[in-house]
């Protein structure tokens, strides 16, 4: 991801990671079922039904792909943030301020190592409901290292009280 993305999420923000290709596997299986099985069956029924299935399938798969692409984990001088959503009423940002951050961790297992797609957790010191947990994140291991390093730098420089 480029620095251009960091500018769109806020000045001074550093984009860490987005979803990995493994996050798209479920959506691609759904597309295979919708376009490979349901659409041909709809053509046996009639052309209007096939057109409806085609439009609905395209909207569903397109929305899911765009929603997966919208996940952006970044940090700035205030904290660590997750931006998600594509529709105006569903866009949102959640996060953990540096002063409240416990630690960032990733889940190591064979498949995450093989596909470089990690589950990451940015913990909140006081409550589990405010922490950030993300699955299938590209470069998630590097993001965790960057977050913990940045937090330690801020603690050493007395940026976090």
């Amino acid at each position: 991801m480029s620095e251009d993305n960091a500018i769109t999420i806020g000045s001074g923000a550093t984009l860490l990671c987005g979803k990995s290709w493994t996050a798209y596997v479920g959506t691609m299986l759904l597309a295979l079922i919708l376009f490979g099985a349901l659409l041909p069956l709809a053509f046996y029924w009639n052309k209007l039904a096939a057109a409806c299935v085609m439009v609905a399938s395209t909207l569903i798969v397109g929305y899911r792909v765009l929603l997966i692409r919208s996940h952006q984990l970044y940090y700035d001088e205030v904290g660590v943030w997750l931006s998600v959503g594509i529709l105006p009423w569903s866009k949102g940002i959640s996060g953990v301020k540096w002063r409240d951050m416990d630690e960032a961790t990733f889940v190591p297992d064979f498949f995450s190592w093989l596909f470089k797609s990690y589950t990451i957790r940015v913990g909140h010191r006081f409550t589990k409901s405010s922490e950030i947990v993300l699955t299938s994140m590209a470069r998630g291991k590097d993001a965790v290292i960057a977050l913990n390093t940045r937090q330690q730098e801020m603690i050493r420089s007395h940026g976090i009280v």
Side-chain angles (χ1 to χ4, degrees):
M1 305 215 177
S2 67
E3 283 296 315
D4 294 338
N5 287 343
I7 293 168
T8 61
I9 56 178
S11 62
T14 302
L15 186 63
L16 294 170
C17 61
K19 289 288 189 174
S20 171
W21 67 270
T22 57
Y24 295 91
V25 171
T27 301
M28 293 305 114
L29 290 175
L30 177 64
L32 184 66
I33 291 168
L34 291 173
F35 292 111
L38 192 58
L39 186 60
L41 286 174
F43 267 112
Y44 285 125
W45 186 285
N46 66 34
K47 290 182 182 180
L48 180 61
C52 291
V53 168
M54 178 67 140
V55 168
S57 298
T58 302
L59 289 174
I60 291 169
V61 171
Y63 176 76
R64 287 182 57 142
V65 166
L66 291 174
L67 187 61
I68 292 169
R69 286 183 48 90
S70 74
H71 286 75
Q72 293 184 336
L73 183 69
Y74 63 96
Y75 72 86
D76 59 14
E77 62 279 349
V78 178
V80 182
W81 310 102
L82 171 65
S83 173
V84 179
I86 56 172
L87 299 173
W89 55 87
S90 67
K91 283 185 181 181
I93 297 175
S94 61
V96 177
K97 291 184 178 180
W98 289 116
R99 69 170 190 248
D100 299 333
M101 185 176 140
D102 182 21
E103 66 181 350
T105 59
F106 67 93
V107 178
D109 63 16
F110 176 72
F111 291 108
S112 63
W113 170 81
L114 182 65
F115 299 125
K116 304 293 184 231
S117 173
Y118 294 90
T119 297
I120 62 175
R121 178 188 153 275
V122 180
H124 193 283
R125 289 191 305 174
F126 305 115
T127 177
K128 292 257 186 227
S129 64
S130 296
E131 66 185 20
I132 300 171
V133 179
L134 299 163
T135 60
S136 302
M137 298 302 286
R139 297 185 313 274
K141 184 178 178 180
D142 297 333
V144 165
I145 292 168
L147 288 174
N148 287 329
T149 302
R150 179 72 177 130
Q151 183 187 32
Q152 289 303 313
E153 289 170 356
M154 292 182 81
I155 289 171
R156 282 190 211 106
S157 68
H158 303 291
I160 302 176
V161 180

